[in-house]
Amino acid sequence: MSDVVQVSRLSIVFPSDQGPVKAVDNISFTVREGESIGIVGESGSGKSTVAFALFDSVPDPGEITGGEVTYEGGVKLFELSEEAKRRFYWSKASMVFQAAQNTLNPILRISQQIEDIADAHKMDKRAALARATELFDTMYIDSGRVLSAYPHELSGGMKQRVSIALALLLGPRLVVLDEPTTALDVISQAAVLRILDNVRRESAISFVFITHDISVIAHVVDRVIVMYGGKIVETGPVEKIVANPSHPYTRGLIASIPPLVGDLSETRALPGQPANLLNLPKGCAFADRCELKQQRCLTEMPQIRTIGPDAEAACHVL
Amino acid sequence: MTKLLRRLGISVLMIFLVAALTFFLIRLMPGNPYEVMYHQLLMKGMSQQQAMDQVRSIMNAIPNQPVLIQFVEWLGQLLHGNMGTSIQETGVPVTELVLNALPWTLVTVSLGLVISFFIGILLGVWSASRRNSWVSGLIDNVGSIAHAIPAYVTAVALLYLFNVVWHVFPSSGAYGIMETPGLNIPFLLSFLYHIVLPVGTYVLTGFGSWELAMKSTTITVINDDFMMAARLRGLPREKQMRYLGWNSILPLFTSFMLSLGAMFGGSVFIEGTYAFPGIGNLFATAINSRDYPVIQGCFLLTTTTIIVANVIADFAYSKLDPRIQA
Amino acid sequence: MSTVWKIFRRRPSRVVGLVLLIFFLFLAIFGPLMYPHGAVPDPNHIYAAPSWKHILGTDYAGRDIWEQIVQGAQNVLFVALLGAFFTIVIGTVVGLAAGYLGPVIDNILMRITDMFLTIPSIALTIILAVTVGLSNYVMMAAILSFASWGGLARAIRSMVLSVRERSFVEVSLGLGLSRWRILLKDVLPNLMPYIIVHLMLALTSTVYAEVGLFYLGVVPFKADNWGVMLNYATGGSGAMYSTQSIMFLISPILAIVLLQTGIVLSADAVNEIVDPRLRAAR
């Protein structure tokens, strides 16, 4: 299988009054064709910044200070002209935002927004509307009503489904979903995840899920990347990560998920505060919260290394 | 629809309240002008009946009667389009005076409003796109200072520069004495030439508030998620700007009411300075000669115009912004 | 204090504004001490050019223009400040009442506010000025504020409505504290930054209206006022049409422009001083 996108040695810095903040520090990963990966971490781990970096659109005042994002066919994103990037967006890679209700232009009908996308990518407007209707049908959306509706006339779950349909409109190779279900109630959450799972099984589209809650996406991803303090601390197949996490941070993360059935006393919140990006230690960023901490964890940065089939981790103790 | 009816009802009520306000304000004047005039006429040797009739035809109210009766009488006449007659220009109906003056003001104020709106919007977007730079700070400061400088100061300064020093524009009137008002080219050209300074004054004193308002809505909208979404959808830059522009401009419609009031208020000074035959000038002259029926008429008609303009603006807003229900 | 100065120093324009404002306040306070008597006419020096004796020259009656500007400063600033203060008080009280005393009062007060926002306030102020008469400073200030409190009332009301929703007010209510106590202790302090900034804006409006009344010449010229000078310069004296007498036109214009500039530029800094969020955003 070929790689849809390859991120290599990516670093992103946010300047601040107290000095530069390394939001993302030298991370590399790839997404293969048809593969669905999850990037998991607490807030401040840099996961959302990575999502925007996949589009060279890190919010101000963030700045990409190093690394490369290479899409299928050797397309080096950071080297594209503005116009080339514009045509690349949405047709090759699209995004579903965390607060989908805010990603639709509030004063245009859904059909108009679809036509605007078609227009921007030289697609026939009627073909685009027909394609949208098809997508809406698979998502149990009443396309007749929704197409002529304004965003404020739709419920939150409906708007999220519409924005997923819009993301799929041009048949992209990669869809990035930033916390696609956090803003939804439990019922809509389940519905949206079922729709995404269906799309994933029926097409060769690759997905990147960004989330703080691994349990939500466990059923729709193949592989998980765990981030902490702007770095990747562990990657591996989802089954392995959930059942047998290696890195102490991942273990804490998995242990903090309340089980749907069973004894809640097994659930333990992760102690301590998320890493302070302004003041990262010389050694492992997780060391001060780690139960297995050793002397070298404080002085030496652990490098990411293979720990099993298709699995990597950055920890001295393993 | 019911909302529109409600809005109309409130507007009619408001016009009534303003009418009442003007009536009672004048009644409150020191040495109640109704009775002062009545006694003046008696002194001139009129009989009581003659004087009473005279006051009644000028003021639309009978002196000596309870105030409420006078108000009802005055209001009844008003509903028939009778606002009394001018004291200064003896015998001329107030309705005729104000209706002759209103169009001049309407045209200049509307032009001033539209031009200052556009300039303000362009500068606002520009300032927003360079926020935190010195250019943005300069635009904001110039805008708010121009807004704070009184219209009469701006008017006098423009008059001095463009008339007295450079002899570019005329100092008074709405058209040359050789022209006949109507739809003919020489008149229209002469009119345009005469309104450059008045309209310029409205623009200079008005654009600043639009600029500041536009800048703040633009900065809000630029950071909205749907603008990032528009970029990632690959929409061309012009389309993104249109998304940004419309979403930033729509909230400004709510400031319409305030700016119209300020512009008509400014017309008192601006038209006074340029001797422009509009309603502001009529008002200023009437105030100076204490021509109460004309003062009432100007105030009432101006306010009614603003109320009507607001209803139209509200209606237009509800058509433009789908989130507002008409 | 050092933060305040730091905020002023952040932009040179703010320092300029502060200097202008202090300059005019100085004139207003110490002007009457500098020139305790009215400017004396001197028929031998009509429209004298600026000199060391008359730094801005003299007017059509040979009176010193600088002296008139200084004496006008007190009238203009004192009345405008008082008027702005009244505006703030009325606007705040109406806004608080509308936002706090339930929907019926809210509805009535907001209709009245709408009416005052619709009426061209300058026109109403002029009518009031000729009706009631500008007999003294307090009366003048009251008239200036009568038609101009609507914007603040509306803003205060919507802020009260949103502050009410916030948890600390709910907690206070839950603790059984009286509504008035909460209004004064919790709600009002939250609105103070906005009220202080609005005071500066109201000041520019009252200066506008006050000088305007005198410029129009609708009220007796009892007081020394820049508007009176401007009226004479553009009207009767014909000073506008001769280069010799031009200082008589330029002086009041400059005084008004510089005062308004001072207020606006200082307001920019005050805005940041009283609103901690603006500072955090830097």
Side-chain angles (χ1 to χ4, degrees):
Chain A
M1 273 195 291
S2 60
D3 291 344
V4 168
V5 64
Q6 197 170 17
V7 174
S8 58
R9 312 186 69 79
L10 181 69
S11 293
I12 299 165
V13 167
F14 281 77
S16 85
D17 288 347
Q18 286 96 35
V21 175
K22 281 185 174 176
V24 173
D25 189 10
N26 196 13
I27 69 164
S28 305
F29 64 92
T30 57
V31 182
R32 284 169 285 220
E33 184 179 5
E35 188 187 36
S36 174
I37 69 164
I39 301 182
V40 183
E42 292 166 300
S43 57
S45 63
K47 57 188 194 308
S48 283
T49 315
V50 172
F52 284 107
L54 288 173
F55 296 91
D56 192 14
S57 297
V58 175
D60 279 339
E63 201 188 327
I64 296 170
T65 50
E68 239 164 37
V69 172
T70 314
Y71 279 90
E72 235 173 354
V75 177
K76 290 196 182 342
L77 182 67
F78 300 160
E79 289 167 17
L80 292 183
S81 68
E82 273 302 311
E83 176 60 16
K85 253 190 284 188
R86 184 187 76 68
R87 274 175 308 186
F88 174 86
Y89 290 152
W90 223 253
S91 61
K92 293 285 186 284
S94 62
M95 184 161 174
V96 176
F97 289 71
Q98 178 165 10
Q101 47 267 46
N102 303 335
T103 62
L104 300 166
N105 185 341
I107 57 171
L108 293 183
R109 292 179 201 279
I110 304 298
S111 57
Q112 182 64 53
Q113 309 203 31
I114 292 169
E115 287 174 12
D116 283 353
I117 296 175
D119 230 20
H121 296 279
K122 305 253 182 305
M123 184 185 185
D124 180 52
K125 281 183 189 173
R126 260 175 309 171
L129 288 173
R131 175 72 185 131
T133 310
E134 247 172 69
L135 287 165
F136 286 167
D137 287 344
T138 65
M139 298 181 188
Y140 317 106
I141 298 175
D142 175 1
S143 51
R145 185 179 84 84
V146 168
L147 278 176
S148 62
Y150 289 102
H152 71 275
E153 296 166 345
L154 305 175
S155 69
M158 196 64 100
K159 273 184 273 199
Q160 187 62 293
R161 280 187 251 175
V162 167
S163 57
I164 292 171
L166 289 188
L168 298 171
L169 186 70
L170 303 177
R173 301 288 290 153
L174 175 75
V175 180
V176 178
L177 304 100
D178 187 6
E179 306 266 7
T181 58
T182 342
L184 303 179
D185 60 273
V186 183
I187 309 266
S188 307
Q189 231 175 50
V192 164
L193 286 172
R194 206 166 49 239
I195 289 164
L196 288 170
D197 201 33
N198 285 342
V199 176
R200 181 170 81 100
R201 286 173 199 290
E202 286 164 15
S203 63
I205 298 178
S206 305
F207 285 100
V208 172
F209 285 87
I210 313 285
T211 185
H212 67 279
D213 185 354
I214 191 169
S215 66
V216 172
I217 58 153
H219 298 291
V220 290
V221 298
D222 306 312
R223 208 150 53 85
V224 174
I225 294 174
V226 182
M227 284 187 72
Y228 188 82
K231 289 192 179 62
I232 294 177
V233 294
E234 179 166 7
T235 71
V238 65
E239 302 82 12
K240 193 244 167 218
I241 298 280
V242 172
N244 182 23
S246 298
H247 195 282
Y249 173 65
T250 321
R251 279 188 230 167
L253 211 59
I254 300 290
S256 69
I257 303 167
L260 276 177
V261 285
D263 193 355
L264 277 176
S265 65
E266 292 288 306
T267 313
R268 284 173 302 122
L270 216 66
Q273 295 295 314
N276 178 4
L277 291 174
L278 270 170
N279 188 19
L280 285 173
K282 201 167 86 190
C284 176
F286 187 63
D288 60 337
R289 298 168 77 184
C290 186
E291 291 169 344
L292 308 173
K293 154 179 70 176
Q294 300 175 343
Q295 192 52 42
R296 64 190 284 224
C297 296
L298 298 173
T299 53
E300 199 182 319
M301 184 91 77
Q303 296 302 313
I304 191 127
R305 59 196 169 84
T306 308
I307 54 161
D310 207 20
E312 295 173 299
C315 180
H316 293 307
V317 185
L318 294 175
Chain B
M1 197 60 212
T2 48
K3 191 140 185 219
L4 188 70
L5 282 178
R6 208 178 98 91
R7 186 77 178 75
L8 283 175
I10 289 174
S11 304
V12 171
L13 178 74
M14 218 188 254
I15 293 172
F16 169 78
L17 284 176
V18 172
L21 183 74
T22 45
F23 177 83
F24 289 107
L25 261 182
I26 306 267
R27 293 284 319 191
L28 278 177
M29 294 218 174
N32 178 358
Y34 289 57
E35 289 183 9
V36 169
M37 178 184 281
Y38 176 65
H39 289 293
Q40 275 173 353
L41 292 174
L42 286 183
M43 303 265 272
K44 282 185 188 164
M46 281 190 189
S47 74
Q48 283 197 356
Q49 189 57 45
Q50 276 176 314
M52 190 99 76
D53 287 345
Q54 182 80 359
V55 172
R56 184 175 181 170
S57 83
I58 291 177
M59 299 289 217
N60 274 346
I62 313 138
N64 301 349
Q65 277 196 347
V67 179
L68 223 51
I69 305 278
Q70 290 188 32
F71 180 54
V72 172
E73 161 94 11
W74 180 78
L75 209 59
Q77 293 290 331
L78 186 67
L79 285 178
H80 290 95
N82 182 357
M83 297 201 257
T85 52
S86 166
I87 298 174
Q88 201 63 24
E89 297 187 45
T90 321
V92 183
V94 172
T95 317
E96 192 185 312
L97 282 174
V98 291
L99 286 183
N100 280 339
L102 186 65
W104 302 109
T105 306
L106 267 186
V107 172
T108 43
V109 163
S110 313
L111 268 176
L113 184 63
V114 170
I115 296 172
S116 60
F117 184 74
F118 275 106
I119 292 178
I121 279 177
L122 290 178
L123 287 177
V125 172
W126 194 32
S127 176
S129 68
R130 287 186 187 11
R131 63 181 183 283
N132 298 333
S133 77
W134 65 271
V135 188
S136 165
L138 184 72
I139 295 174
D140 295 353
N141 282 337
V142 168
S144 36
I145 291 171
H147 181 68
I149 291 174
Y152 46 87
V153 170
T154 310
V156 167
L158 289 185
L159 183 67
Y160 176 70
L161 290 177
F162 288 95
N163 179 260
V164 179
V165 179
W166 296 323
H167 311 287
V168 192
F169 293 111
S171 66
S172 64
Y175 52 91
I177 44 166
M178 309 295 286
E179 320 302 340
T180 23
L183 276 179
N184 58 75
I185 301 289
F187 163 73
L188 288 177
L189 285 178
S190 170
F191 175 63
L192 282 180
Y193 177 56
H194 278 76
I195 64 172
V196 170
L197 289 185
V199 170
T201 313
Y202 287 119
V203 172
L204 275 178
T205 50
F207 81 92
S209 55
W210 294 119
E211 188 269 318
L212 293 174
M214 184 68 184
K215 182 191 178 189
S216 95
T217 57
T218 306
I219 287 176
T220 312
V221 175
I222 272 183
N223 291 318
D224 273 347
D225 282 350
F226 73 84
M227 284 309 297
M228 175 60 95
R231 173 179 151 84
L232 296 193
R233 284 178 195 175
L235 301 190
R237 196 155 168 72
E238 310 84 71
K239 185 70 93 183
Q240 287 183 42
M241 290 309 282
R242 204 174 311 167
Y243 277 29
L244 173 64
W246 272 112
N247 277 287
S248 314
I249 289 172
L250 280 177
L252 300 191
F253 268 80
T254 46
S255 334
F256 196 67
M257 176 163 73
L258 291 172
S259 71
L260 257 190
M263 289 209 131
F264 272 100
S267 77
V268 177
F269 298 122
I270 294 172
E271 296 183 357
T273 306
Y274 295 118
F276 189 81
I279 203 150
N281 195 15
L282 185 66
F283 179 79
T285 327
I287 283 278
N288 267 323
S289 56
R290 303 294 191 269
D291 194 342
Y292 297 112
V294 179
I295 295 175
Q296 278 181 327
C298 288
F299 189 70
L300 198 52
L301 192 68
T302 307
T303 313
T304 307
T305 308
I306 295 173
I307 292 172
V308 171
N310 273 319
V311 174
I312 296 172
D314 268 10
F315 186 70
Y317 183 36
S318 74
K319 287 281 159 215
L320 288 172
D321 191 333
R323 286 162 296 187
I324 309 295
Q325 300 295 306
Chain C
M1 200 59 211
S2 66
T3 351
V4 171
W5 179 233
K6 232 169 83 186
I7 288 169
F8 268 102
R9 274 228 330 246
R10 182 135 53 219
R11 290 191 194 152
S13 64
R14 293 172 174 173
V15 179
V16 172
L18 187 66
V19 168
L20 286 172
L21 202 56
I22 290 175
F23 172 71
F24 280 105
L25 281 174
F26 180 85
L27 291 192
I29 294 168
F30 297 106
L33 298 176
M34 288 154 64
Y35 304 102
H37 310 291
V40 189
D42 178 358
N44 297 323
H45 288 94
I46 287 172
Y47 287 137
S51 63
W52 282 115
K53 192 157 172 259
H54 305 290
I55 51 173
L56 293 175
T58 60
D59 71 357
Y60 56 92
R63 287 174 300 198
D64 185 64
I65 293 175
W66 165 248
E67 221 177 303
Q68 294 181 59
I69 293 285
V70 173
Q71 276 156 358
Q74 193 200 24
N75 176 298
V76 171
L77 252 100
F78 188 72
V79 176
L81 265 171
L82 199 60
F85 177 72
F86 287 164
T87 306
I88 296 299
V89 172
I90 302 173
T92 306
V93 169
V94 172
L96 285 177
Y100 211 69
L101 296 181
V104 178
I105 291 176
D106 182 21
N107 242 316
I108 296 171
L109 286 179
M110 277 307 108
R111 284 291 86 76
I112 296 173
T113 306
D114 274 349
M115 192 177 86
F116 274 95
L117 279 173
T118 311
I119 293 172
S121 58
I122 291 279
L124 184 58
T125 307
I126 295 169
I127 294 181
L128 279 172
V130 296
T131 317
V132 185
L134 300 181
S135 43
N136 57 50
Y137 281 2
V138 178
M139 196 50 136
M140 240 192 267
I143 287 172
L144 290 176
S145 61
F146 182 77
S148 59
W149 48 268
L152 179 66
R154 203 153 242 292
I156 293 279
R157 169 192 172 262
S158 62
M159 285 185 195
V160 171
L161 288 181
S162 77
V163 168
R164 268 180 71 170
E165 301 301 314
R166 276 192 245 158
S167 49
F168 63 90
V169 174
E170 270 172 41
V171 169
S172 313
L173 276 170
L175 290 172
L177 299 176
S178 94
R179 290 161 58 91
W180 292 106
R181 207 187 134 84
I182 297 167
L183 184 71
L184 292 179
K185 292 258 164 179
D186 291 337
V187 178
L188 197 57
N190 267 284
L191 307 179
M192 267 340 259
Y194 185 79
I195 294 175
I196 291 171
V197 171
H198 200 92
L199 180 72
M200 306 287 280
L201 297 178
L203 196 55
T204 62
S205 315
T206 43
V207 169
Y208 186 138
E210 202 239 345
V211 178
L213 285 177
F214 286 97
Y215 167 71
L216 271 189
V218 296
V219 283
F221 291 156
K222 268 187 282 185
D224 292 302
N225 189 291
W226 302 336
V228 179
M229 298 173 74
L230 200 58
N231 178 297
Y232 279 138
T234 54
S237 73
M240 194 173 187
Y241 299 97
S242 157
T243 38
Q244 199 201 346
S245 53
I246 203 58
M247 285 315 286
F248 188 49
L249 175 74
I250 289 180
S251 301
I253 288 186
L254 220 53
I256 299 167
V257 169
L258 291 180
L259 173 60
Q260 297 289 66
T261 304
I263 299 172
V264 166
L265 295 182
S266 308
D268 175 43
V270 170
N271 205 358
E272 199 175 310
I273 292 167
V274 295
D275 193 343
R277 277 168 305 170
L278 280 178
R279 258 181 288 166
R282 299 284 320 186

